[in-house]
Amino acid sequence: MTGNIATIGYALATLGPGLGIGMIGAKNQEATARQPELAGFLRVNMFLSIAFAEALGLIGFAAGFVF
């Protein structure tokens, strides 16, 4: 039974970063459409934001093993 609970917990832990990465991509496209000359700067910020959001998913994955 604990395996099933851990699986549900990990699914919930990945829900937030998944939604966050989707929102980051959408807002980056919107910002690039508004000011195309800042595309390079926006891309760097997007990748940094994605890395931080993905780190939350990895922390949730590791927390499943720790607890």
Side-chain angles (χ1 to χ4, degrees):
M1 188 67 183
T2 59
N4 294 335
I5 295 172
T7 305
I8 292 171
Y10 180 61
L12 291 175
T14 58
L15 184 64
L19 291 172
I21 290 172
M23 291 173 58
I24 290 168
K27 291 299 180 177
N28 184 51
Q29 289 294 322
E30 182 180 338
T32 302
R34 289 175 185 257
Q35 293 190 342
E37 65 273 6
L38 293 177
F41 178 72
L42 293 171
R43 186 176 304 119
V44 171
N45 284 341
M46 179 188 71
F47 286 136
L48 283 172
S49 300
I50 287 173
F52 288 135
E54 192 65 32
L56 292 175
L58 292 174
I59 290 170
F61 180 69
F65 287 114
V66 172
F67 300 118

